Each structure stands twice: as C-alpha cells, then as structure tokens.
Amino acid sequence: MPSFDEVLKEAGEFGRFQKRVFFLLSQTGITFSSLFASVVFLGRAPDNFWCRIPGAAELSDRCGWTLEEERNFTVLPLHLGNGSGSGHCERLDVTWDTSASCTSPLARYGNHSTGDLPLAPCHDNWVYEQPHSSIVSEYDLVCGNAWMLDLSQAILNLGFLAGAFILGYAADRYGRILIYLLSCLGVGICGIIVAFSPNFTVFLIFRFLQGMFGKGTWMTCYVIVTEIVGSDQRIVGIVIQIFFTLGIIILPGIAYLIPTWQGIQLAISLPNFLFLLYYWVVPESPRWLLTRKKGEKALKIMRNIAKHNGKFLSPHYSEITISNQEVSNPSFLDLVRTPHMRRNTLILMYAWFTSALIYQGLVMRLGIIGGNLYLDFFISGAVELPAAFLIIVTIDRVGRRLPFAMSNSVASVACLITAFLPEDIPWLKTTVATLGRLSITIAFEIVYLVNSELYPTTLRNFGVSLCSSLCDFGGIIAPFLLFRLAAIWLELPLIIFS
C-alpha cells in the first residue's frame, strides 16, 4: 500500500492548496508576536509622577491648584530640604487639611526647616501626568511595586509553559485544528478581559490564560503547516517565522497610534476572532488522522488537496490506510527512551532555553535604554527579516548544525562587546547590538525547524511543545534577570546573556 508521502507527492507537496493554508495560518504569527512583546508598550514607565501628600487632593480642589502647582507644593520642598529630586517613592510625612494655606501649605510647620521634616514612603498616593496610559500607572507598579511589572511578563510566559504541556498534548490527542480554533477563541476572550481588568490580580489571571491559549495557536498552526507539505518543503517552518517578525515590526506602529494600554491590548487580541473563520478553509492534518486510525477522512482531505492543486490521485490510492507508525498516546518517556533520542531532546531543551532568554531579554531591553522607543523597536524588528532568508539560503547547503553554532557564537560575542562599548559612540553600540539580535533570531528559528524534524508524527506536536517549554521557562526568568540586574548596572544582563 502507498505511504502517505507517496500520496502527498502525487497530490502536490506544496501546491496552491498548501500555499493558501500556509498564508492563512501564518497570520497567527503576527498576533502571537504582538502578545509576546507587548509588555514593552503595555508596561511603559510613566514620564512624570510624584507622591501625593494626604489631604492634598481636597486642598487642591479648594484652592483651585493645577496639577503642576500641586506638584510644586509637594515635590519642590522635598527637593530643597532633603535633596530628593523626584518625589517618586517618598513624601514629606505631613498631612494637609482644610485649614492649610493655599499659598504656603507648609507654613504651619514653620518652626522646622523643610529639611527637618520627617519622610514617609509612598504606598498608594501616586499622581501621574498621563493616568492609565500603561499598566504601570493603572496599577501603581512603581517604586516598591516595580517588580510586579516583571511578574506580569513572567506570568505570560508561565501561561506559554502551561499551553505547551496542556494544549500540545491535547493537539496530539484530539486533533490539530480543533485545538487551534479553541485556542484562538480563548486568546480573544481573555484579551478583552485583560483590557478591562478591575484590578491587578484579575489582570494576572487572564494574562496567564491568554498566554496559555496564545501558545496553543502558535504551536498548533506551526505543526499543521509542516505536516501538510512534503518532507522536502519543511523549510516553510522557517518562512513562517517571517510573519512572527512582521508582528514585531507592526507593534510599535499600533502603540504609537493608540495612546492607552487598553487600546493596544484590544488591538492585539481582537484579530484572533477572525481566525475562527478558518474552520471552513483549513482542514485537519491528514498525517494526524492516519495516526488515529482515520484513514478515510485522511484520504478525503488528500483528494481535496489534489483537486485544488490541479492533480488527480490514482485509483489504487483508495486503499490508503493507517501509517506504519504505532498509534499511542505520547509521553515524555518516548522522548528519552533511546540514547540518540535522549541526546537530541536534552540539547533541544537547552537550545530553546538560551534562545528565548536572550531574545526576549534583548527585546525588553529596548524599553529601558532610552531613545525613541517606537523607532528603536521598529528597527530592531526589521533587522530580524534577513534571518529567515539567510537560513533559507544556507541551511540546505551546509546543514543545520553549523549555522546554529555560528549564530550562537556571534550573538555571544556581540552581547559581550555591546556591554563594554562606551556610550559616546552610540552608532557602534547600536550596530553591534543589532548584530546580536539578528544572530539570536537565526538560532531561535533553526531550533523551531530542527525540533519538528527530529520527531515522528505521533510525537511531533508533543515533542515540540515539551522542548519549547524550556523556551517559556527562559521567558519567565528573562524579565527578572533584565530589570533587576539592570538596576545594578545597565549592561550587566548582556554579560549574562553572553
């Protein structure tokens, strides 16, 4: 009886049908990458804020102060008396009431110089010049609460991790397209709830769920694309990364045009509902159907593929049955059962971890180094585009291992050099950092390709999901590593990345 690959060859390995499905599913990369990197814009630090003295709001209303006048009465005395210039995280330990003077509210403390007045830490009385423009100002993620911004990104990656295990397993058990559609629905619904979260706890819960479903959409669409083409066409797994990069390039434009974090959140979430229309145009993976003893459904899909590709299946292909692979529910033991499989699995896990940690760290670093965030983010995304083309040109000529080793080496050296380049030659510092971003992108994309190639159909979705869970673990660590170490020395995270 003919094998599946023989049938696919006659139906067309990458004809009009596969190109259409590939283009449609690739759009998932745009929404997923926007979710992946959105914290850079959702969590932008407010340009100017200060800590309000208790009773200041009521006094300001009575006296008719503008925000600038209230800030001068609050922060300027703090600066003159105690040498604290910002008033971000502390305030004078005083209370204003209705008896305070509108022109000199601190006059009642005239027996003491301003410098003698005690200070108190600020807890929940911050005033922002642009309220609710980011989750930082929305939920007061400043000063002692600054680590909660790191937590919000770590929670998203924790959702990616859960999605890799739960939805990766479900896709191997219940079908690729079913899990893909359910995941798209979940991303859209959770994204809306995140945008209108009444408090930070609800925000974290549904950001976790959005990450879980987001991972389900990305991993499942990737596997469907690689399973409906011939083995010689698996390079589409690299090409699909271009759409991930397009999402990175589009995101700063969305953030520039939409002034609030809620608007940005909705803009990257709502398009997922459009993917539900794929129910009528994207079929189940015929490879998966064969492993689940559903040969008739697989054959029907193959005939449809042949028809759209202008081909015709030979009559004897009506006898196509289940593949020779044993049908069983996947388990972790299958990935480490033999020495060769065990070696591949462990190497892939480490490669996923390092690639994700460095890639996400370099992306988030753009939010803390100053400059024009929108332009810098756009340029850093644009430099990723050559990565896919470089891989396509070289990977079939020199293999997978050499480009992977070289890209990691270049990324390491670039991060190390960038850390020690002086600030007075920014063009050189930016150029070297860009080279590191390009190199780690190449390494990341090669891991995607090789991971799907090294496992059989019955284990492919589970194997890719499990190994890529280390990617999510790297993403959980990345924000804490970047923001906490950068507080010590801005370039210290680059040395760790190297």
Side-chain angles (χ1 to χ4, degrees):
M1 292 183 183
S3 67
F4 174 81
D5 287 325
E6 290 173 336
V7 177
L8 182 61
K9 198 165 190 177
E10 189 158 332
E13 292 187 298
F14 195 57
R16 186 187 309 162
F17 182 90
Q18 286 97 332
K19 290 175 182 176
R20 184 189 67 184
V21 171
F22 168 74
F23 177 77
L24 291 174
L25 289 176
S26 294
Q27 308 306 312
T28 309
I30 297 177
T31 56
F32 180 71
S33 63
S34 298
L35 173 63
F36 180 86
S38 60
V39 69
V40 175
F41 298 100
L42 297 182
R44 286 197 68 181
D47 294 330
N48 201 0
F49 67 98
W50 72 92
C51 187
R52 176 174 265 164
I53 292 175
E58 293 78 6
L59 185 61
S60 181
D61 289 339
R62 180 171 68 84
C63 298
W65 290 340
T66 64
L67 270 182
E68 183 63 26
E69 288 174 327
E70 181 185 337
R71 183 177 184 276
N72 288 337
F73 283 127
T74 302
V75 178
L76 188 59
L78 186 67
H79 173 53
L80 295 176
N82 297 276
S84 175
S86 65
H88 290 168
C89 301
E90 59 185 7
R91 61 173 176 80
L92 294 175
D93 191 13
V94 298
T95 300
W96 286 341
D97 54 33
T98 54
S99 64
S101 168
C102 290
T103 57
S104 182
L106 292 175
R108 60 187 298 183
Y109 302 98
N111 293 333
H112 304 278
S113 67
T114 308
D116 293 333
L117 292 174
L119 300 179
C122 193
H123 294 294
D124 56 4
N125 289 321
W126 287 282
V127 178
Y128 305 92
E129 288 194 357
Q130 293 181 315
H132 314 311
S133 61
S134 75
I135 61 173
V136 173
S137 55
E138 179 80 29
Y139 302 115
D140 290 335
L141 308 184
V142 293
C143 300
N145 297 332
W147 65 273
M148 292 184 181
L149 178 62
D150 312 359
L151 179 64
S152 72
Q153 184 66 7
I155 286 291
L156 179 70
N157 281 277
L158 189 61
F160 291 159
L161 180 63
F165 281 100
I166 298 172
L167 299 178
Y169 179 85
D172 276 340
R173 187 76 184 272
Y174 303 108
R176 316 311 199 200
I177 193 65
L178 173 64
I179 299 305
Y180 173 79
L181 294 173
L182 289 176
S183 296
C184 290
L185 180 63
V187 172
I189 293 175
C190 292
I192 293 174
I193 297 175
V194 166
F196 297 103
S197 298
N199 55 63
F200 191 58
T201 301
V202 174
F203 175 90
L204 289 180
I205 292 172
F206 284 93
R207 187 159 169 81
F208 167 83
L209 292 174
Q210 190 176 24
M212 184 181 74
F213 288 119
K215 187 60 174 284
T217 64
W218 178 238
M219 296 303 300
T220 310
C221 86
Y222 183 87
V223 171
I224 292 175
V225 166
T226 56
E227 287 187 343
I228 64 170
V229 300
S231 57
D232 294 336
Q233 304 294 331
R234 293 285 174 81
I235 199 69
V236 296
I238 293 296
V239 180
I240 199 175
Q241 304 295 322
I242 295 176
F243 288 85
F244 184 95
T245 299
L246 286 177
I248 296 291
I249 294 174
I250 293 171
L251 181 60
I254 294 174
Y256 181 79
L257 295 173
I258 302 176
T260 64
W261 74 268
Q262 290 97 337
I264 298 172
Q265 172 67 20
L266 290 175
I268 65 177
S269 301
L270 294 179
N272 285 276
F273 289 118
L274 295 176
F275 299 151
L276 298 178
L277 298 175
Y278 291 178
Y279 174 81
W280 289 277
V281 290
V282 177
E284 181 56 87
S285 165
R287 291 182 189 268
W288 177 82
L289 287 170
L290 288 174
T291 65
R292 308 307 294 186
K293 298 182 179 180
K294 299 180 180 179
E296 290 184 3
K297 290 184 178 180
L299 181 58
K300 182 179 179 180
I301 292 174
M302 294 306 299
R303 285 175 175 157
N304 191 39
I305 291 175
K307 178 181 177 181
H308 281 82
N309 289 344
K311 305 278 188 176
F312 181 74
L313 293 185
S314 300
H316 71 278
Y317 285 157
S318 62
E319 299 180 5
I320 185 173
T321 60
I322 189 172
S323 67
N324 293 327
Q325 298 176 31
E326 179 185 357
V327 178
S328 62
N329 294 322
S331 73
F332 175 73
L333 293 179
D334 295 324
L335 304 181
V336 295
R337 199 175 300 281
T338 67
H340 183 73
M341 185 74 86
R342 183 162 55 249
R343 183 196 66 180
N344 288 348
T345 298
L346 294 176
I347 291 176
L348 285 168
M349 284 181 168
Y350 183 70
W352 275 108
F353 173 79
T354 54
S355 298
L357 175 64
I358 298 168
Y359 179 86
Q360 193 165 151
L362 292 179
V363 169
M364 292 188 297
R365 182 174 178 270
L366 293 171
I368 63 174
I369 60 174
N372 188 323
L373 175 59
Y374 303 103
L375 181 61
D376 291 346
F377 198 93
F378 172 82
I379 294 174
S380 70
V383 301
E384 291 185 16
L385 286 177
F389 296 109
L390 287 172
I391 294 172
I392 293 170
V393 170
T394 61
I395 204 166
D396 285 332
R397 291 179 171 85
V398 299
R400 276 67 164 151
R401 292 187 297 175
L402 182 59
F404 179 70
M406 290 183 63
S407 59
N408 272 285
S409 299
V410 172
S412 174
V413 172
C415 286
L416 193 61
I417 292 176
T418 303
F420 292 101
L421 283 175
E423 297 291 339
D424 55 0
I425 43 177
W427 66 269
L428 181 59
K429 197 177 184 75
T430 300
T431 301
V432 178
T434 298
L435 180 61
R437 175 78 175 268
L438 173 64
S439 300
I440 200 61
T441 300
I442 292 175
F444 213 162
E445 294 183 1
I446 291 177
V447 173
Y448 263 104
L449 174 67
V450 172
N451 202 159
S452 63
E453 289 181 332
L454 290 180
Y455 294 123
T457 303
T458 52
L459 291 173
R460 184 171 296 119
N461 209 94
F462 183 68
V464 172
S465 299
L466 184 66
C467 291
S468 69
S469 67
L470 271 293
C471 152
D472 305 320
F473 186 63
I476 293 171
I477 295 175
F480 293 102
L481 185 67
L482 175 75
F483 295 126
R484 294 314 105 203
L485 292 183
I488 301 173
W489 176 36
L490 184 62
E491 311 298 355
L492 183 56
L494 290 177
I495 296 175
I496 305 299
F497 296 161
S498 178

